[in-house]
Structure formats: structure tokens, C-alpha cells
């Protein structure tokens, strides 16, 4: 379709600014499924242990299978997003995740459960990077951090569904049927991706962001070897990945692995009450993405919020694990804790702004790769410690969480050495 068939330039811009929300919303819904699968096993911990007759370490491995797959796929996902495009990538891989979710719900043995969770991770691994790619092609650069915040809302909605709503669903349908139904739902939304998503406004005969912002045209024929070398030899890519690994691993452990069980053990509350407390942290996380993203875009500052929130997250973990708070304070504490912890979204923004804008998928993939390695390994180490101290569970939790706290501390120190971009892409080709 030629641009002159679409209307005047003003009409074209209006269409871009309206249809972009259709494209974004469909992928954002798929991202809700991603975070549901990421966090859902924590709430059904006891159900899985009973179903497969396993301990804490084997349970943690069920969750980690997802993250092993996610880790493996982050750089390939970036390549697929940059070369094949978000539409085809998300559609095909979401179908794989849907089938794997159904198989997980029907799994007759722990081996099948491991394998199906691994393929769920493979299938959903592409969605976030494709969402970031879509944001870079459909939205103005000045709103990049804010749009990361909106993506965070989708992520946290999935995390909310994976808390007390999942407990209710499991009570009604059983954990197996619940994961089967989620797989069927993914098939429906994968079809919507195929029908509604466009990789770039130019696919509809509309002006793209490169034209509207007078920035260099996006390069379609990306050479994978050169792209990987560009991102992976950039020291700022790796420096920003260190705060990310601590912050994000903690986010996963709190929301998806041991948060609910730790609150149950520490405060003697029911599973649904513990899940509701975690939802306070999820809400804080959702608010964080918007507030921090908006303020960062407004004041053109990325480094200060990262440093401040990284240090506060470290303090928050020490308080959460070693201080038994009055129940009346637990909800507001967890809200603030979730808020500061979710500054890891700033790492995605910085990862894009220190690298070639044409390689947004690969840059996000490399940063994610580091974080998901931590999210895969650390919970298994923690689970092994919990199994060792099974007779003294509270001591076991304290020793297990000390491993995480040490990782968060390293990330907090590294945040002081990240590169300030002042809200613009600072990459310069060598």
C-alpha cells in the first residue's frame, strides 16, 4: 500500500498513534501469560510436591526449567525479533508454549513436568523482547522508559493472576486443569497476534518512527555476527547486567518461588493470605514501572533512580528476612519493597540506550540472558539449603535467602558504575 492511499500526513500520524495501541495491547496480553507461567509454580508448590513426591530442591528445578530455557533463548530471541520480526516470532513460539502448558497440566511424572516447563520457557521467551522491539518501532523515543513501565503493568498483572487468583482457580479446577486452560487461552491470543500485529507502521503504508523523529533509518538486513559482536563487546551492556541479575532474581524468588511459602512459615498465615500479601508487592511493582519510567523520562536521568532503588532493595531484603514485622506493617512494607525492587526495568532502558538502536532486540536479550541465569540457578541453590535444614525451616530460610542478599549487594555496588545516558541513545559506532 502506498502512503498516498492512506491519507494526509496528519491523518497518517494519527493512525500510527492510535493503531500502535492495538499492536501493543495484543503483545502485552501475551506478556501476561509469560509472567503467569513464570510465577505460577510458587503458589502451587505444595500441590506439585504432593503430585510428584518431591522435595524443595526438585520443586525449585520445576521453576528453574523455565528459566534455563529463557536463558538459552534470550540472544536467539533478540535475533528473531530483529530479523524475522515480532509478529511471526511471537505467533509461532506462543503456540509452542500453549501446547507445553497443556502437557504440564497433564504430566504423569516429574520428568514430563520438567520437559514441559522447559518448552513453556522456550515458547514464551520471545514475547518480552518482541514487545520491546514493537515499542521501539511504534512509539516515540522520548517515551521509551514510560512504555517499559506500561510493559511492567502487563508483567505484574500476570504476577497478580499467579497469586491468590491462581489459588482460587486451583481450588476450583485443580492445578492440572488450570494450566491446561491457560494453554488453551494462549492459542486464542496467538491467533490475535497473527491477525492484528504489524511489525512496523510502514507495513500499513504509514510513516515509521525513523521518519517521524528524523532519526537514521532502521536497518532491515542485520548481520547476526556483527550485531552480537557490537552488543557483547560493549562494556556498558555487561555493567548494566550486574544490577539486573540481583534485582530480577530477587523479584522472581519473591513473586514466583519462595515468597508465599516464606510468609506462611514466618507469619503462620494461610496460603491465600500469604498470596494476598505478595500481591501488595506486585502492586508496588506495577506502580513503580510507571512512576520511575515517567520521572526518568521527565528529568532525563537513568542512573540516580537505579542506584537509589538498588540500595533500598538491599535494605528491604535484610529487613524482610531477618525482622519479623507486625502484620499491620507487612502490607505497606511489601508495597514499598515491590516498588523499589522493580527498578530492574531501568536496566532494559539503559541496555537499549547504550547500544545501536537497530539492535534493540539483541541488546535486551543479552541483558535478560544474565538476569535469567541468576533466576534459574539461585532458587535451586536456595532449595537445596532448605532441604538441608528441613528440621529447622526458619534457619533454612535465613541461610537460603542470604545467598540472594549477597547477589543483590553485588548488584547495588555495580549500579554506581553504570553509564548515565540522559534519556537518549548514546551509542557511537567504532
Amino acid at each position: 500500500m502506498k502512503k498516498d492511499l492512506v491519507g494526509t500526513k496528519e491523518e497518517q500520524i494519527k493512525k500510527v498513534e492510535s493503531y500502535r495501541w492495538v499492536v501493543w495491547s495484543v503483545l502485552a496480553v501475551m506478556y501476561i501469560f509469560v509472567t503467569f507461567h513464570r510465577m505460577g509454580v510458587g503458589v502451587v508448590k505444595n500441590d506439585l510436591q504432593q503430585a510428584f513426591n518431591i522435595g524443595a530442591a526438585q520443586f525449585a528445578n520445576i521453576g528453574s526449567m523455565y528459566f534455563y530455557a529463557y536463558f538459552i533463548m534470550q540472544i536467539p530471541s533478540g535475533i528473531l525479533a530483529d530479523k524475522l520480526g515480532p509478529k511471526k516470532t511471537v505467533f509461532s513460539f506462543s503456540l509452542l508454549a500453549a501446547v507445553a502448558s497443556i502437557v504440564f497440566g497433564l504430566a504423569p511424572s516429574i520428568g514430563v513436568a520438567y520437559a514441559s516447563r522447559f518448552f513453556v520457557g522456550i515458547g514464551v521467551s520471545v514475547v518480552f523482547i518482541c514487545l520491546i522491539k514493537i515499542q521501539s518501532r511504534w512509539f516515540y523515543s522520548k517515551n521509551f522508559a514510560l512504555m517499559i513501565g506500561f510493559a511492567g503493568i502487563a508483567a505484574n498483572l500476570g504476577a497478580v493472576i499467579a497469586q491468590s487468583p491462581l489459588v482460587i482457580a486451583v481450588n476450583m479446577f485443580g492445578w492440572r486443569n488450570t494450566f491446561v486452560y491457560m494453554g488453551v487461552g494462549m492459542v486464542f491470543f496467538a491467533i490475535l497476534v497473527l491477525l492484528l500485529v504489524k511489525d512496523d507502521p510502514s507495513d500499513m503504508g504509514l510513516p515509521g518512527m525513523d521518519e517521524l523523529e528524523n532519526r537514521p533509518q532502521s536497518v532491515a538486513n542485520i548481520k547476526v555476527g556483527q550485531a552480537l559482536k557490537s552488543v557483547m563487546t560493549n562494556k556498558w551492556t555487561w555493567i548494566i547486567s550486574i544490577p539486573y541479575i540481583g534485582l530480577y532474581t530477587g523479584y522472581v524468588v519473591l513473586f514466583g518461588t519462595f515468597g508465599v511459602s516464606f510468609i506462611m512459615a514466618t507469619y503462620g498465615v494461610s496460603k491465600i493470605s500469604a498470596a494476598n500479601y505478595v500481591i501488595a508487592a506486585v502492586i508496588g511493582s506495577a506502580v513503580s514501572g510507571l512512576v520511575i519510567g515517567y520521572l526518568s523520562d521527565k528529568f532525563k536521568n537513568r542512573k540516580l533512580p537505579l542506584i537509589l532503588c538498588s540500595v533500598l532493595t538491599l535494605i528491604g531484603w535484610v529487613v524482610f528476612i531477618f525482622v519479623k514485622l507486625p502484620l499491620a506493617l507487612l502490607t505497606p512494607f511489601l508495597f514499598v519493597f515491590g516498588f523499589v525492587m522493580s527498578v530492574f526495568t531501568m536496566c532494559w532502558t539503559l541496555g537499549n540506550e547504550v547500544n545501536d538502536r537497530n539492535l534493540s532486540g539483541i541488546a535486551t536479550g543479552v541483558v535478560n540472558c544474565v538476569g535469567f541465569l541468576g533466576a534459574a540457578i539461585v532458587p535451586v541453590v536456595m532449595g537445596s539449603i532448605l532441604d538441608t535444614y528441613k528440621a529447622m525451616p526458619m534457619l533454612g530460610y535465613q541461610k537460603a535467602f542470604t545467598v540472594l542478599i549477597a547477589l543483590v549487594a553485588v548488584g547495588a555496588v555495580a549500579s554506581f558504575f553504570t553509564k548515565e545516558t540522559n534519556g537518549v541513545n548514546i551509542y557511537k559506532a567504532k
Side-chain angles (χ1 to χ4, degrees):
M1 184 184 295
K2 297 184 180 298
K3 290 183 181 178
D4 58 1
L5 298 179
V6 182
T8 66
K9 187 64 173 286
E10 291 75 15
E11 291 171 339
Q12 292 172 2
I13 293 173
K14 286 181 180 178
K15 188 162 186 178
V16 169
E17 292 178 347
S18 61
Y19 195 77
R20 64 185 179 181
W21 291 108
V22 175
V23 176
W24 184 89
S25 296
V26 173
L27 289 186
V29 171
M30 292 304 302
Y31 194 36
I32 292 173
F33 284 99
V34 174
T35 50
F36 168 83
H37 283 295
R38 185 177 303 162
M39 306 301 178
V41 295
V43 165
V44 294
K45 176 176 180 285
N46 293 338
D47 302 274
L48 294 174
Q49 287 183 301
Q50 291 172 9
F52 300 114
N53 191 26
I54 56 175
Q58 286 178 297
F59 158 74
N61 262 320
I62 293 178
S64 289
M65 283 295 163
Y66 173 105
F67 292 105
Y68 292 135
Y70 220 99
F71 166 73
I72 291 169
M73 282 297 298
Q74 284 311 282
I75 293 175
S77 294
I79 295 170
L80 288 167
D82 290 336
K83 286 189 70 69
L84 186 61
K87 176 178 180 174
K88 293 178 181 177
T89 303
V90 173
F91 170 70
S92 54
F93 278 78
S94 293
L95 290 180
L96 173 63
V99 172
S101 178
I102 293 170
V103 173
F104 178 66
L106 302 174
S109 66
I110 187 65
V112 175
Y114 283 157
S116 56
R117 280 287 296 175
F118 183 84
F119 282 105
V120 167
I122 292 287
V124 300
S125 64
V126 302
V127 176
F128 174 72
I129 290 177
C130 288
L131 181 58
I132 298 300
K133 184 72 177 182
I134 283 293
Q135 289 178 181
S136 73
R137 305 314 306 157
W138 279 89
F139 291 84
Y140 298 108
S141 298
K142 64 183 180 181
N143 299 130
F144 194 87
L146 180 61
M147 290 309 301
I148 291 284
F150 278 115
I153 289 180
N156 285 296
L157 183 54
V160 167
I161 294 171
Q163 301 302 326
S164 47
L166 178 56
V167 175
I168 295 169
V170 169
N171 288 339
M172 291 177 62
F173 307 114
W175 74 267
R176 291 184 179 277
N177 286 335
T178 300
F179 280 91
V180 170
Y181 298 154
M182 291 301 288
V184 173
M186 287 191 76
V187 173
F188 173 76
F189 282 99
I191 293 170
L192 289 185
V193 170
L194 186 64
L195 295 177
L196 299 176
V197 170
K198 305 294 181 184
D199 290 338
D200 191 273
S202 61
D203 293 344
M204 300 174 64
L206 299 169
M209 288 296 116
D210 294 336
E211 178 181 342
L212 296 180
E213 293 191 315
N214 295 315
R215 65 194 192 191
Q217 290 290 313
S218 174
V219 178
N221 186 25
I222 293 172
K223 296 181 179 179
V224 174
Q226 292 180 2
L228 285 172
K229 182 180 178 181
S230 173
V231 173
M232 297 182 75
T233 59
N234 185 341
K235 69 176 182 179
W236 301 115
T237 303
W238 299 107
I239 292 174
I240 195 59
S241 297
I242 299 173
Y244 180 71
I245 190 174
L247 291 164
Y248 190 74
T249 300
Y251 174 89
V252 169
V253 168
L254 177 63
F255 293 170
T257 313
F258 296 118
V260 170
S261 60
F262 174 76
I263 292 173
M264 289 171 65
T266 303
Y267 293 94
V269 298
S270 68
K271 182 190 291 187
I272 195 163
S273 295
N276 282 332
Y277 281 119
V278 173
I279 284 179
V282 175
I283 294 171
S285 177
V287 173
S288 169
L290 288 178
V291 172
I292 293 177
Y294 171 77
L295 293 176
S296 176
D297 282 342
K298 181 177 177 63
F299 295 106
K300 305 297 181 185
N301 194 302
R302 308 302 197 204
K303 188 172 179 177
L304 180 61
L306 179 62
I307 292 172
L308 180 63
C309 290
S310 294
V311 172
L312 289 175
T313 299
L314 175 60
I315 295 170
W317 273 116
V318 173
V319 172
F320 183 56
I321 301 306
F322 295 102
V323 179
K324 186 175 180 179
L325 297 168
L327 275 176
L329 293 180
L330 189 56
T331 296
F333 169 80
L334 285 171
F335 175 87
V336 175
F337 193 27
F339 184 97
V340 295
M341 182 188 303
S342 296
V343 76
F344 65 78
T345 58
M346 192 59 60
C347 299
W348 297 327
T349 302
L350 281 166
N352 275 266
E353 290 178 345
V354 298
N355 283 291
D356 186 341
R357 70 172 68 251
N358 292 309
L359 308 179
S360 59
I362 294 172
T364 305
V366 171
V367 174
N368 256 355
C369 195
V370 178
F372 280 93
L373 182 61
I377 295 174
V378 171
V380 177
V381 174
M382 293 175 68
S384 297
I385 295 172
L386 288 172
D387 281 342
T388 301
Y389 289 88
K390 192 178 299 183
M392 298 177 287
M394 290 314 302
L395 179 61
Y397 274 118
Q398 289 182 353
K399 287 186 174 293
F401 274 100
T402 298
V403 175
L404 174 62
I405 290 171
L407 186 63
V408 174
V410 171
V413 172
S415 68
F416 287 86
F417 298 93
T418 54
K419 182 73 171 178
E420 176 60 72
T421 63
N422 298 120
V424 297
N425 189 286
I426 61 170
Y427 175 80
K428 293 181 180 179
K430 296 178 182 178

